[in-house]
Amino acid sequence: MKISIIGAGNVGAISAMRIAQCGLGDVVLVDIAKGLAKGKALDLEDARSILKINYNVQGSDDINAIRDSDIVVITAGLARKPGMTREELLAKNSQILKEVCLSIKSLAANSVVIMVTNPLDLMTYLALKVTGFSKNKVLGMGISLDASRFANLISEELNLQPADIDAVVIGAHGEGMLPLAKHTKIKGVSLEKFLNKEKIASLVDKTVGRGAEIVAFLGSGSAFFAPSAAVTEVVKAVAKDEKKILGVCAYLSGEYGIKDTCIGVPCRLGKTGIENIIELDLSEEEKEKFLHSADSIRNLLRQLPVG
Ligand code: APR
């Protein structure tokens, strides 16, 4: 199994480490910055003797290194700089990712593509359109990270183990996300049985604001430890053909009453990528919020350099 990661920054490099250490396949790390991916790959391999795990990580500044990959993870791009508008970021990352996706199309035509770069839902749509791959083979990692953040905050509130909490988040990755209390279960019991509405609302707000909270503390850059753990979980589901249900950004063609939009929903993942889209039973209020979240993505689709 050949797993390529484009972008050897914080998220890309730590994803490479986790994927290699989990034994999911041979890892190729590519970055446009000369020497960066090669240096990080050598450093990662130097730990093999201490860890007593035999993995391979190759680093390169040549995109041709991704040739014939089974899985391609995209973490390349720019982070928002002070003074830069969201539209400017969108325009810059779209240009970077258009090039990257054309390379994936020609070099790794049979791969499953996992988008990580933000704005996630728009970049996933761009990757789907530029590669022309079938819709099951292009997905985005975003809401499984949001669900992990929601679960973590719930576990702290209730003094429970995070692993006992099955948190569900759908919608856009970002401010438009929708943590779903009714569908979030603790050993099969809905979160609504554990906490009152006000407490749940405050945990939802904290979850939505978690990325920004981390950015504010870091001073520069954004989160990478939990994002790389979430990337690894998605890669594992595909690489090991796990048939596991995870929240990912998927292309909808009628599910949830939404068409021609990529947005976060629970999906069954396996070796062909998205094998099923799971349609949750949403209340009227949840449906309305979800459609609103989809509208916020759709309104920006025309700014993408596709078609
Ligand atoms: N090809 C390959 N690598 C590229 C290209 C390109 N065309 N353009 C930029 N890069 C590389 C940069 O050189 C940099 O090393 O992408 C890397 C991005 O790394 P960071 O700036 O450290 O960003 P990171 O924190 O890893 O986040 C990457 O993931 O979670 C999202 O919002 C986050 O969109 C961001 C992405």
Side-chain angles (χ1 to χ4, degrees):
M1 171 77 46
K2 177 170 174 177
I3 303 166
S4 291
I5 302 174
I6 306 179
N10 281 335
V11 179
I14 308 229
S15 297
M17 183 183 86
R18 294 190 193 279
I19 289 166
Q21 288 183 2
C22 287
L24 301 182
D26 290 332
V27 177
V28 174
L29 195 54
V30 175
D31 200 288
I32 200 165
K34 231 175 173 35
L36 183 76
K38 180 77 182 167
K40 290 192 179 182
L42 292 177
D43 192 15
L44 282 168
E45 287 198 339
D46 281 347
R48 292 184 298 188
S49 139
I50 299 166
L51 298 172
K52 311 230 173 326
I53 315 175
N54 199 15
Y55 52 76
N56 297 313
V57 184
Q58 182 201 333
S60 179
D61 46 32
D62 180 0
I63 193 75
N64 284 297
I66 72 164
R67 190 180 294 281
D68 296 334
S69 298
D70 299 290
I71 298 175
V72 179
V73 179
I74 306 177
T75 73
L78 296 181
R80 189 138 71 114
K81 302 211 169 71
M84 198 185 220
T85 64
R86 271 179 197 281
E87 285 69 27
E88 284 165 343
L89 178 71
L90 178 58
K92 284 230 183 302
N93 277 351
S94 301
Q95 283 314 325
I96 292 171
L97 290 205
K98 187 170 183 182
E99 288 293 306
V100 164
C101 291
L102 286 171
S103 300
I104 296 171
K105 182 182 182 174
S106 64
L107 294 167
N110 295 318
S111 60
V112 170
V113 177
I114 300 170
M115 180 60 68
V116 184
T117 305
N118 278 310
L120 192 268
D121 305 277
L122 292 160
M123 295 300 110
T124 306
Y125 185 90
L126 177 77
L128 181 69
K129 296 293 169 181
V130 173
T131 57
F133 288 2
S134 56
K135 62 183 181 182
N136 57 299
K137 295 185 77 183
V138 180
L139 50 135
M141 187 298 292
I143 56 160
S144 58
L145 165 63
D146 300 325
S148 176
R149 287 172 169 164
F150 192 33
N152 186 38
L153 291 163
I154 294 166
S155 76
E156 285 171 359
E157 177 65 33
L158 293 173
N159 196 19
L160 291 170
Q161 297 205 18
D164 281 342
I165 296 159
D166 188 11
V168 178
V169 177
I170 59 170
H173 177 54
E175 282 140 31
M177 78 174 78
L178 220 65
L180 297 177
K182 184 180 73 181
H183 290 279
T184 293
K185 302 274 167 74
I186 298 155
K187 290 283 172 197
V189 181
S190 169
L191 179 63
E192 291 178 334
K193 300 264 183 226
F194 286 81
L195 294 170
N196 64 31
K197 275 195 167 142
E198 291 70 33
K199 200 71 233 176
I200 290 174
S202 125
L203 290 175
V204 165
D205 285 350
K206 273 194 186 167
T207 304
V208 176
R210 189 61 146 195
E213 182 188 358
I214 292 169
V215 166
F217 278 117
L218 290 177
S220 75
S222 50
F224 49 93
F225 288 119
S228 57
V231 167
T232 306
E233 185 186 39
V234 173
V235 168
K236 182 162 171 269
V238 176
K240 298 282 182 199
D241 194 23
E242 285 185 322
K243 317 293 183 197
K244 184 172 184 174
I245 296 174
L246 288 174
V248 291
C249 178
Y251 181 82
L252 300 191
S253 33
E255 298 86 354
Y256 292 91
I258 295 169
K259 281 191 177 153
D260 195 33
T261 307
C262 289
I263 189 166
V265 285
C267 296
R268 188 180 68 149
L269 302 182
K271 65 174 184 292
T272 57
I274 295 174
E275 299 194 336
N276 276 109
I277 292 176
I278 315 290
E279 289 199 61
L280 296 169
D281 188 15
L282 300 180
S283 68
E284 283 309 312
E285 192 192 347
E286 288 165 342
K287 249 185 235 166
E288 200 181 307
K289 286 186 180 164
F290 188 52
L291 292 178
H292 182 70
S293 187
D295 280 343
S296 70
I297 297 169
R298 224 185 347 255
N299 288 340
L300 293 167
L301 289 181
R302 73 184 93 88
Q303 293 184 25
L304 295 175
V306 289

